[in-house]
Each structure stands twice: as structure tokens, then as C-alpha cells.
Amino acid sequence: MNKKVQLQDLGHKDYKETWDYQEALFKEIVDVKIKNRREEANLETPNHFLFVEHPHVYTLGKSGDMANLLVDEKKLQEKGATFYKINRGGDITYHGPGQIVGYPILDLDNFFTDIHKYLRLLEEMVILTLAEYGLKGVRSEGETGVWLDVGTPFARKICAMGVRASRWVTMHGFALNVNADLGYFDLMIPCGIKGKAVTSLNVELGQKEVDMDEVKEKLQHHFESLFEAEFIKEKTEA
């Protein structure tokens, strides 16, 4: 089992370009697994983890409802945003500047074959990171992601998650609001959940801006610990 994970920080990158890159890495892993099964090749499958910050974009998962996007295409253009229907689970999500998006593209045969456990560990990675800033992140029953003050009138979501998995290979991932412009969330019903607020780390800490690289380092540390993985940092970008 290969527990080494190739880590790339793509910086600011278009959503569709990043999606295509994810698909290529995903296919690479699946092709190795098919070859192993057909030819008993016993080749090692790679794992990847991408950090990225997207321009303003709304994405709708396979089970999502278009009604949860509250504006038309013209309004999106005015806001400098794009829209894509994509092949992950979940409903509608927003990505934009000031948000850390993470895409683990893993062969879970290298770790454990349990999607429920995979999602819970991604949530735990975020919860442990928030704790380092003095915030108590929690899960909300039946709702994937990480929240603050669940069970109160002030419940608000700080991290959204949506993944795809096939042949135990994962793609898509999580979006943690760090210095996000929360006004963009007003153009949709986040994750299709009405009446729930959204927040960002800088708002919770009362800071104008939180160091994004520092947050990424904390996420990396907790991911390695929870998944018993080792990051190998790639110098080249996609």
C-alpha cells in the first residue's frame, strides 16, 4: 500500500482547468488499477492532493436542484462568476478567492475502503485545524461538512464537502472559507439547505485576513496524521 501523497498547490486556477486536471489524475490511478487486475501487474497506484483557489464559480452536484441557484446567467456574468454541473455528490456550492479548496485524489485501497470513514476524516482534519484557532467546529447530523454552533439559531457552515468515488478512487473534496467574500453565498441556497448561514475563518476571528499558507500547513499536518500518509511536495504546477 502506497501512503505517499503527491502534494501540489496550484495557486489561483480556473475551475474547469482544475476539474480536467483532476479527471486526468483520477484516470491515471484507475488505469493502473485495471491493469493490475487484468494482468496481475501489482503496480503501485499514486495518490494526489491539490490545493487551489478558484475565481468565482458555482458548481451543482449530480443530485442538486437548479432552483438552489437564485440568479440567472446574466446576473452571474455581472458578478464575474461561472457555473458548472459536475459529477460529485451534493448540491450547489460556491468557490472563490479567499477560500482554500482541497482535492484529494486517492486510491483508498492504499488506506481503507470506506467512503463514510473517508468523509469523516476529511471533516476531522478541518475540525482539528479550526481548533488551533480556538474555534469549535462540529458535524451536523445528515449534513456533510463542518459547522459552528450547530443546534442553535446561530448555526453556520464554514467548510463544504462533496466527493466522487469510483473503484475506490476519490476526486473533488472540500472548500474551507478562510477570507471568503460571503456576499456570493447570497446568490444560492448553500448545499440546498435553507435557513442556514455561512461564515469564514477571518470573520470568526475578527481579522481582516488570515494567512492562507498557515491554514494549509495545518490542514496538511492533520491530513498526514489522520490518514497515516506522507506528503511529497511537487515543485511543478499543473
mmCIF file of all heavy atoms in Angstrom, residues 102-129:
data_model
loop_
_atom_site.group_PDB
_atom_site.id
_atom_site.type_symbol
_atom_site.label_atom_id
_atom_site.label_comp_id
_atom_site.label_asym_id
_atom_site.label_seq_id
_atom_site.Cartn_x
_atom_site.Cartn_y
_atom_site.Cartn_z
ATOM 1 N N GLY A 102 -9.491 21.961 -1.444
ATOM 2 C CA GLY A 102 -8.597 20.810 -1.444
ATOM 3 C C GLY A 102 -9.206 19.643 -2.188
ATOM 4 O O GLY A 102 -10.373 19.297 -1.954
ATOM 5 N N TYR A 103 -8.440 19.066 -3.106
ATOM 6 C CA TYR A 103 -8.915 17.925 -3.883
ATOM 7 C C TYR A 103 -7.997 16.727 -3.641
ATOM 8 O O TYR A 103 -6.953 16.599 -4.290
ATOM 9 C CB TYR A 103 -8.926 18.258 -5.376
ATOM 10 C CG TYR A 103 -9.875 19.353 -5.790
ATOM 11 C CD1 TYR A 103 -9.435 20.424 -6.558
ATOM 12 C CD2 TYR A 103 -11.228 19.315 -5.432
ATOM 13 C CE1 TYR A 103 -10.299 21.425 -6.963
ATOM 14 C CE2 TYR A 103 -12.103 20.311 -5.829
ATOM 15 C CZ TYR A 103 -11.632 21.367 -6.598
ATOM 16 O OH TYR A 103 -12.500 22.360 -6.994
ATOM 17 N N PRO A 104 -8.330 15.840 -2.707
ATOM 18 C CA PRO A 104 -7.559 14.603 -2.561
ATOM 19 C C PRO A 104 -7.995 13.614 -3.651
ATOM 20 O O PRO A 104 -9.184 13.302 -3.782
ATOM 21 C CB PRO A 104 -7.953 14.092 -1.170
ATOM 22 C CG PRO A 104 -8.725 15.222 -0.522
ATOM 23 C CD PRO A 104 -9.338 15.980 -1.649
ATOM 24 N N ILE A 105 -7.047 13.155 -4.426
ATOM 25 C CA ILE A 105 -7.317 12.151 -5.465
ATOM 26 C C ILE A 105 -6.535 10.912 -5.041
ATOM 27 O O ILE A 105 -5.356 10.746 -5.363
ATOM 28 C CB ILE A 105 -6.899 12.675 -6.855
ATOM 29 C CG1 ILE A 105 -7.592 14.024 -7.113
ATOM 30 C CG2 ILE A 105 -7.288 11.680 -7.951
ATOM 31 C CD1 ILE A 105 -6.955 14.854 -8.183
ATOM 32 N N LEU A 106 -7.201 10.092 -4.266
ATOM 33 C CA LEU A 106 -6.548 8.984 -3.564
ATOM 34 C C LEU A 106 -7.068 7.644 -4.046
ATOM 35 O O LEU A 106 -8.253 7.510 -4.384
ATOM 36 C CB LEU A 106 -6.822 9.077 -2.055
ATOM 37 C CG LEU A 106 -6.597 10.410 -1.337
ATOM 38 C CD1 LEU A 106 -7.009 10.267 0.123
ATOM 39 C CD2 LEU A 106 -5.155 10.870 -1.462
ATOM 40 N N ASP A 107 -6.199 6.651 -4.036
ATOM 41 C CA ASP A 107 -6.646 5.270 -4.139
ATOM 42 C C ASP A 107 -6.892 4.779 -2.717
ATOM 43 O O ASP A 107 -5.943 4.529 -1.973
ATOM 44 C CB ASP A 107 -5.586 4.411 -4.828
ATOM 45 C CG ASP A 107 -6.014 2.951 -4.930
ATOM 46 O OD1 ASP A 107 -7.168 2.638 -4.560
ATOM 47 O OD2 ASP A 107 -5.192 2.127 -5.368
ATOM 48 N N LEU A 108 -8.149 4.687 -2.338
ATOM 49 C CA LEU A 108 -8.467 4.308 -0.959
ATOM 50 C C LEU A 108 -8.026 2.879 -0.634
ATOM 51 O O LEU A 108 -7.944 2.517 0.539
ATOM 52 C CB LEU A 108 -9.954 4.492 -0.676
ATOM 53 C CG LEU A 108 -10.446 5.946 -0.595
ATOM 54 C CD1 LEU A 108 -11.922 5.989 -0.224
ATOM 55 C CD2 LEU A 108 -9.624 6.765 0.406
ATOM 56 N N ASP A 109 -7.715 2.073 -1.657
ATOM 57 C CA ASP A 109 -7.125 0.761 -1.387
ATOM 58 C C ASP A 109 -5.773 0.901 -0.698
ATOM 59 O O ASP A 109 -5.282 -0.044 -0.076
ATOM 60 C CB ASP A 109 -6.959 -0.040 -2.687
ATOM 61 C CG ASP A 109 -8.214 -0.822 -3.042
ATOM 62 O OD1 ASP A 109 -8.832 -1.393 -2.129
ATOM 63 O OD2 ASP A 109 -8.592 -0.843 -4.231
ATOM 64 N N ASN A 110 -5.164 2.079 -0.804
ATOM 65 C CA ASN A 110 -3.901 2.348 -0.100
ATOM 66 C C ASN A 110 -4.128 2.725 1.365
ATOM 67 O O ASN A 110 -3.161 2.780 2.139
ATOM 68 C CB ASN A 110 -3.143 3.487 -0.788
ATOM 69 C CG ASN A 110 -2.533 3.081 -2.114
ATOM 70 O OD1 ASN A 110 -2.095 1.944 -2.280
ATOM 71 N ND2 ASN A 110 -2.513 4.001 -3.069
ATOM 72 N N PHE A 111 -5.374 3.010 1.720
ATOM 73 C CA PHE A 111 -5.675 3.496 3.075
ATOM 74 C C PHE A 111 -6.743 2.637 3.750
ATOM 75 O O PHE A 111 -6.461 1.893 4.668
ATOM 76 C CB PHE A 111 -6.122 4.960 3.003
ATOM 77 C CG PHE A 111 -5.085 5.865 2.401
ATOM 78 C CD1 PHE A 111 -5.089 6.139 1.040
ATOM 79 C CD2 PHE A 111 -4.085 6.425 3.189
ATOM 80 C CE1 PHE A 111 -4.116 6.966 0.466
ATOM 81 C CE2 PHE A 111 -3.112 7.249 2.637
ATOM 82 C CZ PHE A 111 -3.124 7.512 1.273
ATOM 83 N N PHE A 112 -7.971 2.749 3.284
ATOM 84 C CA PHE A 112 -9.102 1.962 3.802
ATOM 85 C C PHE A 112 -10.236 2.107 2.797
ATOM 86 O O PHE A 112 -10.383 3.143 2.155
ATOM 87 C CB PHE A 112 -9.551 2.481 5.183
ATOM 88 C CG PHE A 112 -9.689 3.981 5.221
ATOM 89 C CD1 PHE A 112 -10.799 4.613 4.678
ATOM 90 C CD2 PHE A 112 -8.690 4.773 5.777
ATOM 91 C CE1 PHE A 112 -10.919 5.996 4.682
ATOM 92 C CE2 PHE A 112 -8.795 6.153 5.785
ATOM 93 C CZ PHE A 112 -9.917 6.767 5.234
ATOM 94 N N THR A 113 -11.020 1.070 2.628
ATOM 95 C CA THR A 113 -12.109 1.124 1.643
ATOM 96 C C THR A 113 -13.427 1.394 2.367
ATOM 97 O O THR A 113 -14.246 0.499 2.580
ATOM 98 C CB THR A 113 -12.167 -0.182 0.832
ATOM 99 O OG1 THR A 113 -12.150 -1.289 1.746
ATOM 100 C CG2 THR A 113 -10.990 -0.292 -0.112
ATOM 101 N N ASP A 114 -13.606 2.659 2.716
ATOM 102 C CA ASP A 114 -14.786 3.076 3.474
ATOM 103 C C ASP A 114 -15.021 4.562 3.190
ATOM 104 O O ASP A 114 -14.304 5.417 3.723
ATOM 105 C CB ASP A 114 -14.533 2.835 4.967
ATOM 106 C CG ASP A 114 -15.748 3.136 5.841
ATOM 107 O OD1 ASP A 114 -16.586 3.975 5.439
ATOM 108 O OD2 ASP A 114 -15.846 2.555 6.936
ATOM 109 N N ILE A 115 -15.996 4.867 2.333
ATOM 110 C CA ILE A 115 -16.261 6.258 1.945
ATOM 111 C C ILE A 115 -16.763 7.071 3.139
ATOM 112 O O ILE A 115 -16.407 8.241 3.300
ATOM 113 C CB ILE A 115 -17.285 6.323 0.789
ATOM 114 C CG1 ILE A 115 -16.678 5.719 -0.481
ATOM 115 C CG2 ILE A 115 -17.704 7.769 0.523
ATOM 116 C CD1 ILE A 115 -15.457 6.466 -1.006
ATOM 117 N N HIS A 116 -17.577 6.468 3.982
ATOM 118 C CA HIS A 116 -18.083 7.162 5.164
ATOM 119 C C HIS A 116 -16.905 7.593 6.051
ATOM 120 O O HIS A 116 -16.824 8.749 6.478
ATOM 121 C CB HIS A 116 -19.037 6.254 5.941
ATOM 122 C CG HIS A 116 -19.600 6.867 7.185
ATOM 123 N ND1 HIS A 116 -20.645 7.772 7.158
ATOM 124 C CD2 HIS A 116 -19.247 6.730 8.487
ATOM 125 C CE1 HIS A 116 -20.913 8.164 8.396
ATOM 126 N NE2 HIS A 116 -20.083 7.536 9.218
ATOM 127 N N LYS A 117 -15.986 6.677 6.286
ATOM 128 C CA LYS A 117 -14.805 6.995 7.100
ATOM 129 C C LYS A 117 -13.974 8.082 6.419
ATOM 130 O O LYS A 117 -13.465 8.999 7.084
ATOM 131 C CB LYS A 117 -13.958 5.732 7.312
ATOM 132 C CG LYS A 117 -12.689 5.983 8.128
ATOM 133 C CD LYS A 117 -11.908 4.684 8.331
ATOM 134 C CE LYS A 117 -10.618 4.950 9.116
ATOM 135 N NZ LYS A 117 -9.846 3.705 9.339
ATOM 136 N N TYR A 118 -13.853 8.006 5.096
ATOM 137 C CA TYR A 118 -13.084 8.999 4.347
ATOM 138 C C TYR A 118 -13.639 10.407 4.565
ATOM 139 O O TYR A 118 -12.896 11.346 4.895
ATOM 140 C CB TYR A 118 -13.114 8.636 2.857
ATOM 141 C CG TYR A 118 -12.517 9.682 1.947
ATOM 142 C CD1 TYR A 118 -11.167 9.988 1.994
ATOM 143 C CD2 TYR A 118 -13.319 10.358 1.022
ATOM 144 C CE1 TYR A 118 -10.607 10.940 1.162
ATOM 145 C CE2 TYR A 118 -12.777 11.313 0.180
ATOM 146 C CZ TYR A 118 -11.420 11.606 0.254
ATOM 147 O OH TYR A 118 -10.882 12.568 -0.572
ATOM 148 N N LEU A 119 -14.951 10.555 4.431
ATOM 149 C CA LEU A 119 -15.576 11.866 4.636
ATOM 150 C C LEU A 119 -15.419 12.344 6.076
ATOM 151 O O LEU A 119 -15.152 13.517 6.330
ATOM 152 C CB LEU A 119 -17.057 11.806 4.258
ATOM 153 C CG LEU A 119 -17.355 11.784 2.760
ATOM 154 C CD1 LEU A 119 -18.806 11.381 2.511
ATOM 155 C CD2 LEU A 119 -17.054 13.132 2.119
ATOM 156 N N ARG A 120 -15.605 11.426 7.035
ATOM 157 C CA ARG A 120 -15.477 11.819 8.441
ATOM 158 C C ARG A 120 -14.044 12.269 8.760
ATOM 159 O O ARG A 120 -13.841 13.196 9.541
ATOM 160 C CB ARG A 120 -15.870 10.652 9.355
ATOM 161 C CG ARG A 120 -17.291 10.122 9.195
ATOM 162 C CD ARG A 120 -18.387 11.107 9.546
ATOM 163 N NE ARG A 120 -18.689 12.078 8.515
ATOM 164 C CZ ARG A 120 -19.438 11.833 7.431
ATOM 165 N NH1 ARG A 120 -19.941 10.633 7.213
ATOM 166 N NH2 ARG A 120 -19.704 12.814 6.566
ATOM 167 N N LEU A 121 -13.046 11.633 8.150
ATOM 168 C CA LEU A 121 -11.660 12.040 8.413
ATOM 169 C C LEU A 121 -11.346 13.391 7.767
ATOM 170 O O LEU A 121 -10.595 14.186 8.330
ATOM 171 C CB LEU A 121 -10.679 10.975 7.922
ATOM 172 C CG LEU A 121 -10.596 9.686 8.749
ATOM 173 C CD1 LEU A 121 -9.435 8.809 8.259
ATOM 174 C CD2 LEU A 121 -10.435 9.974 10.236
ATOM 175 N N LEU A 122 -11.922 13.655 6.591
ATOM 176 C CA LEU A 122 -11.747 14.987 5.997
ATOM 177 C C LEU A 122 -12.362 16.051 6.905
ATOM 178 O O LEU A 122 -11.778 17.121 7.115
ATOM 179 C CB LEU A 122 -12.385 15.053 4.607
ATOM 180 C CG LEU A 122 -11.667 14.340 3.461
ATOM 181 C CD1 LEU A 122 -12.405 14.600 2.149
ATOM 182 C CD2 LEU A 122 -10.209 14.775 3.339
ATOM 183 N N GLU A 123 -13.542 15.753 7.426
ATOM 184 C CA GLU A 123 -14.173 16.686 8.368
ATOM 185 C C GLU A 123 -13.288 16.870 9.606
ATOM 186 O O GLU A 123 -13.107 17.995 10.080
ATOM 187 C CB GLU A 123 -15.553 16.173 8.776
ATOM 188 C CG GLU A 123 -16.584 16.255 7.661
ATOM 189 C CD GLU A 123 -17.856 15.472 7.968
ATOM 190 O OE1 GLU A 123 -17.851 14.649 8.901
ATOM 191 O OE2 GLU A 123 -18.854 15.679 7.253
ATOM 192 N N GLU A 124 -12.737 15.766 10.118
ATOM 193 C CA GLU A 124 -11.902 15.839 11.314
ATOM 194 C C GLU A 124 -10.653 16.678 11.062
ATOM 195 O O GLU A 124 -10.203 17.417 11.945
ATOM 196 C CB GLU A 124 -11.519 14.419 11.762
ATOM 197 C CG GLU A 124 -10.843 14.350 13.121
ATOM 198 C CD GLU A 124 -11.752 14.758 14.277
ATOM 199 O OE1 GLU A 124 -12.993 14.771 14.113
ATOM 200 O OE2 GLU A 124 -11.210 15.064 15.350
ATOM 201 N N MET A 125 -10.092 16.567 9.874
ATOM 202 C CA MET A 125 -8.938 17.384 9.503
ATOM 203 C C MET A 125 -9.264 18.877 9.645
ATOM 204 O O MET A 125 -8.463 19.653 10.183
ATOM 205 C CB MET A 125 -8.554 17.072 8.049
ATOM 206 C CG MET A 125 -7.524 17.987 7.429
ATOM 207 S SD MET A 125 -7.392 17.719 5.627
ATOM 208 C CE MET A 125 -8.987 18.358 5.067
ATOM 209 N N VAL A 126 -10.441 19.272 9.180
ATOM 210 C CA VAL A 126 -10.866 20.674 9.273
ATOM 211 C C VAL A 126 -11.172 21.046 10.722
ATOM 212 O O VAL A 126 -10.792 22.119 11.200
ATOM 213 C CB VAL A 126 -12.081 20.933 8.363
ATOM 214 C CG1 VAL A 126 -12.621 22.354 8.550
ATOM 215 C CG2 VAL A 126 -11.709 20.700 6.900
ATOM 216 N N ILE A 127 -11.858 20.163 11.440
ATOM 217 C CA ILE A 127 -12.202 20.416 12.847
ATOM 218 C C ILE A 127 -10.941 20.645 13.680
ATOM 219 O O ILE A 127 -10.869 21.575 14.492
ATOM 220 C CB ILE A 127 -13.043 19.241 13.408
ATOM 221 C CG1 ILE A 127 -14.456 19.271 12.796
ATOM 222 C CG2 ILE A 127 -13.114 19.295 14.936
ATOM 223 C CD1 ILE A 127 -15.268 18.015 13.044
ATOM 224 N N LEU A 128 -9.922 19.810 13.477
ATOM 225 C CA LEU A 128 -8.664 19.952 14.222
ATOM 226 C C LEU A 128 -7.931 21.242 13.841
ATOM 227 O O LEU A 128 -7.310 21.889 14.685
ATOM 228 C CB LEU A 128 -7.768 18.740 13.967
ATOM 229 C CG LEU A 128 -8.254 17.418 14.563
ATOM 230 C CD1 LEU A 128 -7.399 16.257 14.077
ATOM 231 C CD2 LEU A 128 -8.250 17.475 16.087
ATOM 232 N N THR A 129 -8.032 21.622 12.578
ATOM 233 C CA THR A 129 -7.412 22.874 12.124
ATOM 234 C C THR A 129 -8.096 24.073 12.765
ATOM 235 O O THR A 129 -7.437 24.995 13.260
ATOM 236 C CB THR A 129 -7.473 22.969 10.589
ATOM 237 O OG1 THR A 129 -6.716 21.885 10.021
ATOM 238 C CG2 THR A 129 -6.901 24.288 10.097
#
